[in-house]
Amino acid sequence: MTVEQTTLPTHPDEAITPLRADVVRFFLEPQSVAVVGVSTSSGQAYKAGGRAVLDHLGVYGYEGAVTVIHPTATTVEGRPALPSLRALDSVPDVVVIAVPAAAVRGVLEDCAAVGARQALILTAGFADMGEAGHELERSLLSFARANGINVVGPNSTGLVNVRTGLAMSMTSVLTEGAPIPVGRIAVIAQSGAIGSTIVERARDAGVGISHIVSTGNQRDMDIPDFISYFAGLPEVDTVALYMESIRDGRRFAAAVEELHSAGKRLITYLGGRSAAGERAAASHTGKIIGRGALELGLLRALGVTVVDDPDDLWVLGAMRNHGREFPRQWGMVAYSGGMAVLATEQLSAAGVEFPKLGPETVDRLAAVLPSFATFPNPLDVGPGSMPVDFGGYLAAVADDPAVRALCVPLPMGARGWNGQSVKDILDVGSRTGKPFVVLWYGGTAVKEHIRELRAGGVLVAEGPTDLGRVVRALLGPERVIEASSHEVPAPSSTTASAVGGAPALQLLADQGLDIAPMTVSVGVEPTADAADALGYPVVVKSADDDITHRTELGLVAVNLSGREAVTAAVTRMTQAQPRPDGSAASWLVQKMIRGGVELVLTVRDADSLGVFGSVGVGGAAVEVLRDIEQVPLPCDLPTLRKALARLAMAELFVGFRGSDPLDEDWILATLNGMGELLRSQGLAEIEVNPAIVGADGGTIIDALYVR
């Protein structure tokens, strides 16, 4: 298990720590390596740690200089050994440290003495072993920083550059089984064990890998540094990332933007996203938004492909890169009706649309399939089309302007058919440039054909549920939204234990945000006078700062239409919650806002991850529905729209039962304004619940903030 440490919070206005692709280059393109901590035992069981690294460098043919450091041995596996780094004639580019935890400090001191600037620490027993380990790790990293030593790890399994044979890793996947084939996918993993498993399963499926990076506890060299390096590396077009947390949201975003600007893609599995969302927090919004949910929101806002199965890192990675936005308008050509049904159900649930084929396509198909009365999409041409005519049908549908991607569901097939199917798919895909996705639901007999398709950049799923899962990852969780007529439970208000009521609303009003007209008064008659001045109907609620759950305590009265109703409501609420000292209670009188949809809007300072906003359907049901989506702030309208489309109740935003769409510009401006307020006032969180939003703006009804 690796342990990742979160950096100290940084002010949003501070410059981010520069990405260190240049340092990564020393780690992954070294001319010389020194290995410290090598067992002299010749038994296979002892080929772990530094001994395993030494073995792997030899097996993969690393051509750089390799020096063994051993206190007593003069040779290890035929390589000369020196007693200390201080005995070297030249400074190695990378020092691999595989000694016990207590001895790592001494090796770092040797690195400092000779001027070695890159240390790969494989040793465990630091932050992964409790507070004493944390303290030891902190002291080592402090020493390294003070002496200009860059560190990968500790608790790393190592670094591999498959193309150059730099197998500077102790993972057994390198030598147990076939060698790792060279490919264009760079694998980065916080967990060395999971990273090795991903690589092993990719190798067994015939998918090549370019690099394997185990970041370990990543107290120094971090995931963004490696992403930045791969952005500039021509032989890599996909980064496959297994991670459990993001240390610094702004550095991570900068690295991803570099990668995307280079025309490359990041495919990520985020571990711990649900557990993080359940962590305890000091306020109502913290219950909804855990760090894992924020990290997921950041990934989606950055356009990262997020997968739900680690295998999909290499399954999708083997597919040719077709750009950031994968199309939803697909065609399908099948010769098995059952396979067409399986594929159609999965694709439809994943958000794929099947447009009607155009007249030219229909005429083209009718010329060779005269027995068909209609030509629907998906199209089942039957087994009689195999093997000679199938490619022509694929070409006809793929050439249709409305079809932007093509799915081909294949069964086991028959002798002689499968090779032709592969050729047809590769030929038509190459000619049209449109992406092909194949569902090949077969057995071992089709494995080599699947390898051939993947080598040609075609995405292949080997089961119906696999197809649905990878396509959901490709398209993202956003849906194609149409107005619907579903019933929605009536919302009501809830708040949190924080500063709320009039002070919070006034703070938002001073920021220029739209709040309901209000007055604060003390006593029954002054409250009735305030209501007369505002105009009816009104809402009256407790204005005491230390009372936040007003609805649950019966301290809110709505839709009061006259002075008598206000007097009666204030008298009733005063009697229900008398003040211990007998003093008169203060009351917040607001203009009653009718119509619109109740939303909850929050902003939160997530320390080094950045400032985040969230939006969802508001009222008391917010804690039950948990229908909330997060976006990094400041946000733009396309990012907000994608987040809204991920909500379970997304239809409310585009018009519901004939209602007008909600004003997305108002939601965006309010979230960004709340974010600016949070930064300027040094607040931890701000929550608005509810804001009543309609087609032409919105009004904030209640709010709270947490310092």
Side-chain angles (χ1 to χ4, degrees):
M1 183 181 84
T2 60
V3 176
E4 180 270 339
Q5 295 291 308
T6 302
T7 56
L8 293 173
T10 56
H11 191 280
D13 294 332
E14 291 178 2
I16 66 170
T17 304
L19 299 171
R20 295 183 288 172
D22 55 334
V23 176
V24 173
R25 182 166 288 105
F26 282 110
F27 275 106
L28 290 175
E29 301 176 27
Q31 300 301 307
S32 57
V33 174
V35 185
V36 185
V38 178
S39 169
T40 56
S41 173
S42 60
Q44 184 67 28
Y46 290 90
K47 287 194 175 180
R51 185 61 179 266
V53 171
L54 201 61
D55 185 42
H56 296 156
L57 288 170
V59 169
Y60 278 77
Y62 173 63
E63 295 182 351
V66 178
T67 303
V68 180
I69 304 299
H70 193 282
T72 58
T74 56
T75 61
V76 177
E77 289 194 352
R79 297 181 185 269
L82 296 174
S84 167
L85 289 171
R86 299 175 191 246
L88 286 166
D89 294 329
S90 59
V91 179
D93 290 336
V94 178
V95 176
V96 181
I97 303 176
V99 298
V104 172
R105 173 61 179 259
V107 180
L108 288 177
E109 290 174 352
D110 288 346
C111 289
V114 302
R117 292 293 176 257
Q118 278 66 242
L120 168 60
I121 305 178
L122 307 183
T123 308
F126 293 97
D128 48 306
M129 296 300 289
E131 184 54 37
H134 269 290
E135 184 54 40
L136 177 59
E137 185 173 297
R138 280 192 289 267
S139 68
L140 293 178
L141 268 294
S142 296
F143 177 85
R145 290 192 184 102
N147 288 275
I149 301 171
N150 305 299
V151 174
V152 172
N155 204 11
S156 168
T157 56
L159 304 171
V160 179
N161 183 337
V162 182
R163 291 180 182 275
T164 65
L166 179 76
M168 197 167 55
S169 169
M170 60 184 180
T171 176
S172 60
V173 71
L174 292 170
T175 46
E176 290 186 3
I180 306 298
V182 177
R184 302 185 64 81
I185 305 172
V187 176
I188 305 175
Q190 277 186 262
S191 165
I194 292 178
S196 297
T197 302
I198 291 166
V199 171
E200 181 173 29
R201 292 173 69 83
R203 176 200 64 194
D204 293 348
V207 175
I209 302 295
S210 67
H211 298 77
I212 309 168
V213 173
S214 167
T215 57
N217 293 8
Q218 58 181 49
R219 288 291 302 273
D220 183 28
M221 299 301 297
D222 195 7
I223 288 170
D225 299 314
F226 289 96
I227 293 175
S228 176
Y229 168 76
F230 291 128
L233 202 62
E235 56 264 35
V236 171
D237 59 25
T238 298
V239 175
L241 171 63
Y242 172 86
M243 69 175 177
E244 294 167 1
S245 58
I246 299 172
R247 290 180 63 197
D248 186 317
R250 295 191 301 155
R251 288 190 86 239
F252 185 86
V256 173
E257 287 165 5
E258 276 190 20
L259 193 75
H260 287 165
S261 295
K264 304 181 181 188
R265 60 189 168 182
L266 177 63
I267 305 172
T268 300
Y269 182 94
L270 175 64
R273 66 187 85 166
S274 60
E278 294 173 355
R279 71 178 181 86
S283 76
H284 169 75
T285 54
K287 296 176 185 175
I288 299 169
I289 312 169
R291 187 176 177 91
L294 297 177
E295 290 167 341
L296 189 59
L298 177 60
L299 290 172
R300 288 171 172 167
L302 292 171
V304 174
T305 300
V306 180
V307 299
D308 290 326
D309 189 303
D311 272 350
D312 296 340
L313 293 171
W314 59 264
V315 171
L316 285 171
M319 183 186 195
R320 184 177 298 112
N321 189 353
H322 289 280
R324 295 278 301 279
E325 294 289 336
F326 202 84
R328 292 179 181 268
Q329 297 74 36
W330 290 29
M332 182 188 297
V333 181
Y335 69 83
S336 162
M339 290 299 301
V341 170
L342 288 177
T344 301
E345 289 180 340
Q346 291 292 333
L347 295 178
S348 296
V352 170
E353 301 171 1
F354 296 99
K356 183 179 179 180
L357 299 177
E360 291 184 5
T361 305
V362 170
D363 291 344
R364 186 172 168 183
L365 291 168
V368 290
L369 289 168
S371 60
F372 274 53
T374 61
F375 293 91
N377 180 27
L379 178 64
D380 173 17
V381 296
S385 65
M386 299 300 294
V388 177
D389 299 322
F390 193 66
Y393 306 144
L394 287 181
V397 175
D399 286 339
D400 192 299
V403 172
R404 300 180 58 202
L406 208 72
C407 178
V408 184
L410 297 173
M412 278 295 292
R415 190 182 301 273
W417 291 10
N418 292 335
Q420 185 62 45
S421 298
V422 170
K423 183 178 185 304
D424 292 339
I425 291 167
L426 293 177
D427 287 350
V428 176
S430 175
R431 180 181 62 80
T432 62
K434 293 182 178 180
F436 270 64
V437 177
V438 172
L439 167 61
W440 209 327
Y441 196 32
T444 56
V446 301
K447 293 294 186 183
E448 287 304 315
H449 298 298
I450 290 174
R451 287 174 180 260
E452 187 178 354
L453 286 172
R454 284 178 172 151
V458 174
L459 175 60
V460 183
E462 297 185 59
T465 56
D466 293 339
L467 175 68
R469 189 182 65 248
V470 296
V471 172
R472 281 193 298 273
L474 268 178
L475 300 182
E478 299 84 12
R479 294 173 290 140
V480 178
I481 302 299
E482 298 176 357
S484 64
S485 59
H486 301 298
E487 296 294 333
V488 178
S492 60
S493 178
T494 186
T495 55
S497 178
V499 179
L505 289 169
Q506 190 59 53
L507 192 66
L508 296 177
D510 292 342
Q511 183 69 17
L513 301 178
D514 299 312
I515 69 165
M518 68 174 191
T519 302
V520 177
S521 60
V522 179
V524 177
E525 290 304 315
T527 303
D529 293 340
D532 288 340
L534 278 178
Y536 296 98
V538 297
V539 175
V540 178
K541 63 185 78 172
S542 170
D544 289 353
D545 293 351
D546 58 344
I547 298 177
T548 54
H549 292 280
R550 297 171 177 82
T551 300
E552 291 85 340
L553 295 174
L555 297 180
V556 178
V558 301
N559 201 25
L560 303 177
S561 57
R563 186 180 183 89
E564 290 183 1
V566 172
T567 301
V570 173
T571 300
R572 184 185 68 253
M573 291 188 291
T574 300
Q575 293 171 349
Q577 292 288 330
R579 286 179 167 231
D581 61 359
S583 61
S586 60
W587 301 97
L588 175 63
V589 186
Q590 289 180 298
K591 187 76 175 174
M592 180 81 179
I593 306 298
R594 300 184 183 277
V597 174
E598 288 193 355
L599 301 183
V600 57
L601 306 174
T602 66
V603 295
R604 177 184 176 194
D605 183 352
D607 294 339
S608 58
L609 195 61
V611 175
F612 281 76
S614 71
V615 59
V617 178
V622 67
E623 291 191 275
V624 177
L625 298 173
R626 294 183 177 270
D627 193 16
I628 300 288
E629 281 293 328
Q630 292 80 36
V631 292
L633 296 181
C635 181
D636 57 25
L637 196 56
T639 300
L640 177 66
R641 283 176 174 160
K642 283 191 172 186
L644 296 178
R646 295 193 290 265
L647 291 165
M649 292 189 177
E651 287 85 357
L652 288 175
F653 292 84
V654 298
F656 181 73
R657 296 180 71 119
S659 64
D660 293 327
L662 301 189
D663 189 339
E664 294 174 338
D665 289 322
W666 186 90
I667 297 170
L668 179 69
T670 302
L671 276 177
N672 283 334
M674 290 168 64
E676 292 171 7
L677 178 63
L678 178 132
R679 294 186 187 97
S680 66
Q681 297 294 316
L683 303 178
E685 299 183 46
I686 304 173
E687 177 187 282
V688 166
N689 187 20
I692 297 179
V693 184
D696 299 312
T699 304
I700 295 169
I701 305 302
D702 210 349
L704 62 86
Y705 64 83
V706 179
R707 289 203 178 275

